[in-house]
Amino acid sequence: MPLHLERVEWMPSPPLVPDLEPLDLAHLARMTLGDAGLEREVLALFVAQADSLMAILAALPDDAAALAHTLKGSARAIGAFGVADAVVELEAALRRGDDAALALLTLGCAVDAAREAIGVRLART
């Protein structure tokens, strides 16, 4: 049976790693029902909570997994999915009993990126 080949026009491939913003603004708007005042409030609360939890997590206390889990829920609620993903990695390292220093560093970078995006967002509103 003959093979029928057709020429397919070139098209760009999607990026191997998606370009993720530190804060999903569409998700945030849905979660705050478009209320700018509520948005400002939850973003400020997240920054305060993240700062507090990261300071405690730096020592990797016995309840680090529970504290990280709290941060993950808060991050998902505001659309800081990079923070939530980094927490998943930290939780996995803690569960396996691995050295969690790298996962904690990655989480710190994600929190910093989210904090910066939140600062920009709060300055605009």
Side-chain angles (χ1 to χ4, degrees):
M1 176 175 262
L3 184 61
H4 297 287
L5 299 175
E6 294 179 33
R7 180 166 171 83
V8 176
E9 292 298 316
W10 179 86
M11 45 190 221
S13 297
L16 295 177
V17 177
D19 183 26
L20 298 177
E21 293 294 322
L23 196 58
D24 183 334
L25 297 178
H27 178 81
L28 177 61
R30 283 190 306 275
M31 295 302 286
T32 58
L33 305 174
D35 183 325
L38 179 58
E39 179 182 304
R40 283 189 303 276
E41 185 177 345
V42 298
L43 290 176
L45 286 170
F46 175 79
V47 168
Q49 181 188 51
D51 288 347
S52 174
L53 289 174
M54 288 304 295
I56 296 167
L57 285 170
L60 288 173
D62 291 340
D63 62 344
L67 296 170
H69 190 78
T70 298
L71 181 57
K72 179 173 64 177
S74 297
R76 285 182 175 159
I78 66 161
F81 297 118
V83 173
D85 292 345
V87 170
V88 168
E89 294 303 316
L90 176 60
E91 287 176 321
L94 292 169
R95 193 172 36 257
R96 290 187 308 264
D98 292 348
D99 180 9
L102 180 58
L104 188 58
L105 179 63
T106 301
L107 175 58
C109 291
V111 168
D112 288 346
R115 187 184 303 113
E116 185 176 328
I118 289 168
V120 168
R121 183 77 178 162
L122 292 177
R124 288 182 185 163
T125 58

